[in-house]
Amino acid sequence: MDRMVLLFLLKISFVRLSRQQFPRPCTTPEALQSKQCCPVWPGDGSVCGARSGRGFCQDVVVSDLPNGPQYPHSDVDDRERWPLVFYNRTCKCAGNFMGYNCAECKFGYFGVNCAESRESVRKNILHLSGSDRQRFISYINLAKNTISPDYMIATGTYKQMNNGTNPMFAEVSVYDLFVWMHYYVSRDALLGGPNNVWEDVDFAHEAAAFLPWHRVFLLLWEHEIRKLSGDFNFTIPYWDWRDARSCQVCTDELMGARNPLEPNRISPASIFSSWKVICTRPQDYNAREVLCSGEPEGPLLRNPGNHDQSRMSQLPTSADVEFVLGLRDYETDSLDRRSNMSFRNTLEGFASPQTGIAVTGQSTMHNALHIYMNGTMSSVQGSANDPIFLIHHAFIDSIFEQWLRKHQPARTHYPASNAPIGHNDGYYMVPFIPLYQNGDYFLTTKALGYEYSYLLNPTIPQTHSKIGVCSIVLLVIIVLYVNLKRLFFFNLLLF
């Protein structure tokens, strides 16, 4: 990347951002004690941009439908009935507006008044041009090294904050903001006292919200990069790992090769070798009864392929994906990681992609890629530290999209009640502010303003790209053969 582009990226690192998690205006004692997060929109100086018709401040109404039995506690965790422990009034945005103060546009809309509708296309990272690859890596490295000016992370529970009189928040980079959110949504529940935790709880994994939650997570991350870079054409690339026999993206041109001297580390030729991770020590946090503070905890670790082979023997195949896409039910029976013949549970990786039956001690599909990376990405709470997380989850999202288009399920196929806590249709996704309900994102990407390059032409079989290339090459050979044969006989006639 040339000097002018680098200078441009340095300049725009000071662009003001606007997205999710605890907005700075809502981290004061006044906001926490009043439980109101309705900041002013600077555009007209009114709360939630009410004067301009962007939105208004309203009471938060949470669903009272029952959760499943997996989490038997009540009123012990800040994520229960999100976001009521922290705020019971937030901005409700109108029309195409979105954001904690209604300053932003809904997904798929652009322009000053959010009136421009546009579809963005996510592309295969292995098919990107050299400049597009460099741009992607430069943007995420910029995010890693730019403090979020609008958002902070909570470093203590509401109780530890003395019910809001003593705020406990910290600054964090744009990239690490998302790492912290993935940690926070999946952390153990602190029940009081050292190591007194409830582990069987996760507001974004092992149940129905896994796919909608990560869909919103990627959309917000993508939007944050656009704001930071000023490049509103940016999209997250995906890694199509079907039938891969190695980590194809583990090169210094992409996500970082293996360090030849330290196999658990990343090559010093990659920018990612200098990255420091956060939120990777859950046992320590539990022992001290604290939350991840966002402080650096060491280098990014990765050792692809040298994982526990008894847990997963190979990366997912094209046949595995096709089997999963054939499962008709989004959720079944227990609505958790024990579900059989469940599309969500099999794609997430708790059931066999050959039978659809739940398995223990095995990691398939989505989970298999995390285990295969054999490092930071293999632990749920800290996995988003590795940028491979983004391109992996983009491909998982594309499989979710294929299933939605194939089966066209009604919203009633998504569980309205009795799913594990955090996963019912009407539950607000932890820890996003502004608020998003799970069921609202059980819908096609077409309604959210984005598409996947390999799904653009539905007449092309959804198989691995290598198969498509081979078919084209074979067709060219056949055409050349036929034409050469005709030319040969034509020459014979002339003589």
Side-chain angles (χ1 to χ4, degrees):
M1 184 168 291
D2 61 38
R3 174 180 281 180
M4 291 302 293
V5 174
L6 290 174
L7 288 174
F8 168 72
L9 292 176
L10 288 173
K11 286 180 181 179
I12 61 178
S13 66
F14 299 101
V15 171
R16 188 162 179 79
L17 307 178
S18 183
R19 255 318 159 231
Q20 64 302 314
Q21 207 22 51
F22 292 94
R24 286 180 185 266
C26 302
T27 58
T28 65
E30 295 76 21
L32 291 169
Q33 291 177 78
S34 69
K35 290 185 178 290
Q36 180 166 301
C37 183
C38 293
V40 166
W41 176 52
D44 66 5
S46 67
V47 168
C48 307
R51 195 172 297 134
S52 300
R54 284 180 167 253
F56 54 93
C57 188
Q58 75 165 21
D59 293 342
V60 176
V61 179
V62 301
S63 171
D64 60 359
L65 293 177
N67 302 308
Q70 295 85 352
Y71 179 75
H73 306 285
S74 179
D75 299 324
V76 299
D77 191 286
D78 291 346
R79 299 166 296 180
E80 296 175 31
R81 296 168 63 82
W82 181 262
L84 292 187
V85 169
F86 290 99
Y87 312 109
N88 57 28
R89 285 176 64 81
T90 63
C91 287
K92 173 68 174 179
C93 302
N96 296 332
F97 300 112
M98 188 175 72
Y100 69 80
N101 59 356
C102 301
E104 300 295 328
C105 299
K106 280 186 176 179
F107 304 126
Y109 290 90
F110 301 84
V112 176
N113 295 313
C114 303
E116 178 191 348
S117 175
R118 188 170 77 236
E119 184 175 84
S120 304
V121 179
R122 292 179 179 171
K123 301 176 181 178
N124 189 329
I125 192 170
L126 298 176
H127 298 166
L128 294 181
S129 66
S131 60
D132 283 344
R133 291 182 181 186
Q134 289 181 329
R135 184 177 298 110
F136 169 59
I137 293 169
S138 296
Y139 286 174
I140 58 177
N141 191 56
L142 177 64
K144 182 71 172 178
N145 292 284
T146 303
I147 296 295
S148 173
D150 281 340
Y151 284 90
M152 304 184 79
I153 62 171
T155 58
T157 65
Y158 192 75
K159 182 179 179 180
Q160 290 170 342
M161 295 184 197
N162 194 26
N163 297 323
T165 61
N166 181 36
M168 298 173 65
F169 296 95
E171 291 188 329
V172 71
S173 76
V174 174
Y175 188 97
D176 286 348
L177 172 67
F178 286 86
V179 176
W180 185 91
M181 287 192 291
H182 195 266
Y183 146 78
Y184 188 83
V185 77
S186 58
R187 68 174 176 82
D188 300 330
L190 304 177
L191 302 181
N195 286 318
N196 184 19
V197 300
W198 186 263
E199 296 182 351
D200 192 15
V201 61
D202 192 314
F203 291 75
H205 301 86
E206 303 183 17
F210 169 68
L211 292 166
W213 189 94
H214 285 84
R215 172 160 285 188
V216 172
F217 185 74
L218 291 183
L219 282 166
L220 291 170
W221 191 92
E222 192 170 62
H223 183 89
E224 203 67 41
I225 293 295
R226 289 172 177 171
K227 296 286 291 184
L228 178 62
S229 66
D231 181 358
F232 287 89
N233 293 315
F234 168 78
T235 55
I236 299 172
Y238 63 87
W239 173 27
D240 184 345
W241 32 248
R242 289 172 293 182
D243 305 311
R245 298 188 178 184
S246 64
C247 181
Q248 303 159 314
V249 297
C250 293
T251 66
D252 286 333
E253 293 74 27
L254 289 172
M255 315 314 289
R258 192 192 310 272
N259 188 318
L261 301 179
E262 299 177 79
N264 289 319
R265 300 280 296 272
I266 295 174
S267 163
S270 167
I271 190 66
F272 301 118
S273 65
S274 65
W275 278 28
K276 303 299 180 185
V277 299
I278 67 169
C279 303
T280 60
R281 300 173 180 173
Q283 291 79 14
D284 175 53
Y285 312 145
N286 291 345
R288 295 189 291 122
E289 198 184 0
V290 300
L291 300 185
C292 166
S293 64
E295 293 295 318
E297 295 175 343
L300 178 62
L301 301 177
R302 191 194 300 151
N303 192 350
N306 292 319
H307 58 285
D308 182 355
Q309 296 288 326
S310 67
R311 189 166 176 183
M312 60 84 59
S313 58
Q314 66 177 23
L315 293 173
T317 66
S318 297
D320 293 338
V321 172
E322 290 305 312
F323 176 86
V324 173
L325 288 171
L327 295 171
R328 299 185 61 85
D329 294 323
Y330 183 75
E331 282 292 0
T332 62
D333 43 70
S334 61
L335 306 178
D336 59 14
R337 64 177 177 267
R338 297 168 297 169
S339 298
N340 297 314
M341 306 305 289
S342 155
F343 165 73
R344 188 279 313 162
N345 200 42
T346 310
L347 178 57
E348 189 170 358
F350 294 105
S352 166
Q354 286 84 45
T355 66
I357 304 301
V359 293
T360 57
Q362 298 289 307
S363 295
T364 68
M365 300 306 290
H366 154 266
N367 290 346
L369 267 290
H370 283 274
I371 297 303
Y372 176 82
M373 290 303 158
N374 193 33
T376 304
M377 195 167 155
S378 299
S379 174
V380 176
Q381 295 182 22
S383 59
N385 279 288
D386 192 328
I388 289 179
F389 176 100
L390 296 167
I391 59 176
H392 167 45
H393 271 274
F395 190 59
I396 290 293
D397 185 70
S398 78
I399 298 173
F400 177 32
E401 181 61 19
Q402 284 192 66
W403 184 84
L404 288 171
R405 295 184 191 183
K406 179 175 182 176
H407 298 282
Q408 299 183 350
R411 183 160 174 170
T412 53
H413 282 239
Y414 191 96
S417 63
N418 297 314
I421 188 170
H423 293 264
N424 286 344
D425 180 309
Y427 208 98
Y428 288 116
M429 297 179 180
V430 177
F432 301 141
I433 297 173
L435 304 176
Y436 305 92
Q437 286 185 324
N438 293 321
D440 287 342
Y441 293 87
F442 186 67
L443 82 173
T444 176
T445 63
K446 292 293 187 180
L448 299 170
Y450 72 103
E451 174 63 280
Y452 287 95
S453 58
Y454 79 107
L455 301 182
L456 277 171
N457 189 343
T459 63
I460 297 176
Q462 303 304 328
T463 53
H464 195 274
S465 57
K466 286 183 178 179
I467 297 174
V469 170
C470 291
S471 298
I472 293 171
V473 171
L474 180 60
L475 179 61
V476 170
I477 292 172
I478 292 171
V479 171
L480 287 174
Y481 171 76
V482 170
N483 282 284
L484 285 172
K485 190 174 180 181
R486 287 176 178 172
L487 182 62
F488 173 76
F489 283 110
F490 178 73
N491 288 332
L492 284 179
L493 290 174
L494 288 177
F495 291 98

